[in-house]
Amino acid sequence: ASTAKRGIATVGKLAGALGLVGLAYKGIDMVKNSLDGAIDRYDTLNQFPRVMALMGFDAEESEKAINKLSDGIQGLPTRLDEVASTAQNIAIMTGDLEGAVDTTLALNNAFLASGASTADAERGLRQYVNMLAKGKVDAMRWETLQETMGVALNKVAEAFGFAGESAQNDLFDALKSGEITFDEFNNKIIELSEQTGGFADIAQEASKGLKTSLGNLNTWILTGVADVIGAIDKALGGTGEIADAIDRLKPIVQSVFGWIADVAIPAVAEAIRF
């Protein structure tokens, strides 16, 4: 027993000397700070298939879709809820969930491969989805794409046989005239994203850096916390049990505050008056 106590004391001193105790507290803080994001991720993973099923899509297909989105943004400074929302909008608009997922991931890769910031990517994506809905391009929205995914547009233009300084404008003219349909344009972006050395690979390289690495570290912790939340939920009886347990607190919370408002406050006020 005394040997064990001495051993524990030695380990404690060693941990303190190396600053491991402080690191442990920092680790705990990172977990605590990741809780909101982990809850968002867990809700997204569970709500996406449910919402898509309500929209008429196959539940199993919806489950595969959200998992593919999650896998497709690994190592990138992109949040799952962002791509899930985009894929959902495109799927509802086109009726093609698999195509919506492929388009969303390809566009995300194209923006990142072009060096776009998160704000620029959101701006470009908004204009792209608008054109996708209409099935045609217009000058103002095309100009936004040139600003936010210029590198990718050059690659797409080359793939369609356009070259030189006017390649992007020639591609725009071909899209506007109907020589190239917007569906063909969209499919080409997906093709160029998925091929070896394509937008997906370029996006991974372009996103490398200390800021992205720190973001990825937070994402890994966030994902781990979300997995823990999921494990607790299932241990309680299945997905949604934590939410149901919290909802069951409603009458208790209401009765406590009701007692404070109706009984405690009047009694205190009467005592102060006295």
Side-chain angles (χ1 to χ4, degrees):
S2 60
T3 303
K5 286 178 183 176
R6 284 198 302 273
I8 291 169
T10 302
V11 170
K13 289 175 184 175
L14 183 60
L18 294 175
L20 298 180
V21 174
L23 285 175
Y25 280 120
K26 287 183 185 295
I28 291 168
D29 284 341
M30 289 185 78
V31 170
K32 283 158 56 180
N33 294 336
S34 297
L35 192 56
D36 284 347
I39 291 170
D40 287 341
R41 177 183 172 82
Y42 184 66
D43 279 345
T44 299
L45 285 167
N46 290 302
Q47 289 173 355
F48 183 89
R50 191 159 57 242
V51 170
M52 297 314 293
L54 290 172
M55 295 295 174
F57 293 94
D58 180 71
E60 189 176 334
E61 183 187 3
S62 301
E63 189 78 31
K64 288 180 180 177
I66 193 64
N67 289 332
K68 186 173 182 178
L69 287 169
S70 180
D71 292 341
I73 60 172
Q74 291 299 315
L76 299 175
T78 306
R79 297 201 320 266
L80 180 61
D81 57 314
E82 291 174 346
V83 289
S85 175
T86 301
Q88 184 176 305
N89 291 337
I90 295 175
I92 293 170
M93 185 173 61
T94 62
D96 179 6
L97 181 54
E98 185 178 354
V101 170
D102 290 341
T103 295
T104 299
L105 291 176
L107 286 173
N108 187 58
N109 291 331
F111 285 119
L112 292 175
S114 300
S117 65
T118 303
D120 282 340
E122 287 177 5
R123 184 164 61 95
L125 183 61
R126 195 161 51 244
Q127 301 296 357
Y128 186 94
V129 172
N130 193 291
M131 288 190 288
L132 183 62
K134 294 180 178 179
K136 58 182 181 180
V137 299
D138 64 68
M140 184 188 75
R141 292 186 173 88
W142 185 258
E143 188 176 323
T144 302
L145 287 190
Q146 288 179 306
E147 293 170 2
T148 56
M149 54 182 284
V151 173
L153 277 185
N154 280 337
K155 297 283 187 185
V156 175
E158 288 173 10
F160 278 114
F162 303 110
E165 293 181 5
S166 65
Q168 290 184 11
N169 292 330
D170 292 339
L171 176 58
F172 171 74
D173 291 338
L175 283 163
K176 196 169 183 181
S177 67
E179 179 186 341
I180 297 172
T181 67
F182 203 88
D183 281 344
E184 290 173 332
F185 173 65
N186 188 70
N187 290 336
K188 187 61 71 174
I189 291 178
I190 295 171
E191 178 189 325
L192 293 177
S193 177
E194 294 176 348
Q195 70 183 20
T196 303
F199 300 150
D201 292 337
I202 297 172
Q204 290 286 345
E205 288 297 318
S207 299
K208 281 184 177 177
L210 181 57
K211 186 175 180 180
T212 301
S213 294
L214 288 171
N216 288 338
L217 176 60
N218 285 324
T219 298
W220 299 330
I221 294 172
L222 184 150
T223 301
V225 175
D227 290 342
V228 170
I229 293 171
I232 294 170
D233 216 5
K234 288 176 183 173
L236 289 173
T239 302
E241 281 299 311
I242 294 177
D244 290 342
I246 293 171
D247 290 341
R248 288 195 290 273
L249 291 173
K250 179 182 176 181
I252 299 171
V253 174
Q254 287 180 326
S255 66
V256 169
F257 282 100
W259 179 84
I260 291 171
D262 299 336
V263 179
I265 296 297
V268 172
E270 184 59 35
I272 292 172
R273 205 165 24 243
F274 176 77

